[in-house]
Amino acid sequence: MLPTREIEALLRCEHGDPFRVLGLHADARGMLWLRTLQLGASAVSVIDKTTGRVVAELERRHPDGFFEARVVGRREVFPYVLRVKWDG
């Protein structure tokens, strides 16, 4: 899980290396995490591009649109697309 100070730096456009934390990445224990900024979105799902199945629902960790989730049951990076929902 990304520390709050890094989320706030991303949202202020002051993060020193946003590509290090956004997208699909393995942590030190080999667990996969997916993080995205979708300003104004109400929900984000991760879909396996190969199978078309939803593999995770991201948690909105900041009301401005930072979403994050651990991708349970996966250890290898895989091709994905995001399904983003905006209210209205």
Side-chain angles (χ1 to χ4, degrees):
M1 187 170 284
L2 198 64
T4 301
R5 70 181 182 285
E6 285 198 67
I7 295 170
E8 291 170 356
L10 284 165
L11 291 166
R12 289 190 313 266
C13 300
E14 296 174 352
H15 195 282
D17 189 4
F19 297 107
R20 178 182 58 80
V21 295
L22 294 174
L24 184 61
H25 299 281
D27 67 12
R29 296 176 296 189
M31 292 187 281
L32 290 179
W33 289 84
L34 198 139
R35 301 178 187 100
T36 185
L37 284 176
Q38 300 294 330
L39 302 180
S42 59
V44 178
S45 304
V46 181
I47 300 172
D48 183 312
K49 195 171 181 178
T50 303
T51 66
R53 293 184 179 154
V54 175
V55 295
E57 299 289 338
L58 278 64
E59 174 188 353
R60 184 167 55 177
R61 296 222 19 237
H62 192 283
D64 288 346
F66 178 82
F67 293 82
E68 175 183 55
R70 187 167 75 86
V71 182
V72 178
R74 302 280 181 118
R75 289 288 198 174
E76 301 290 326
V77 174
F78 59 94
Y80 67 91
V81 294
L82 299 177
R83 181 184 318 155
V84 181
K85 179 183 176 193
W86 284 273
D87 291 333

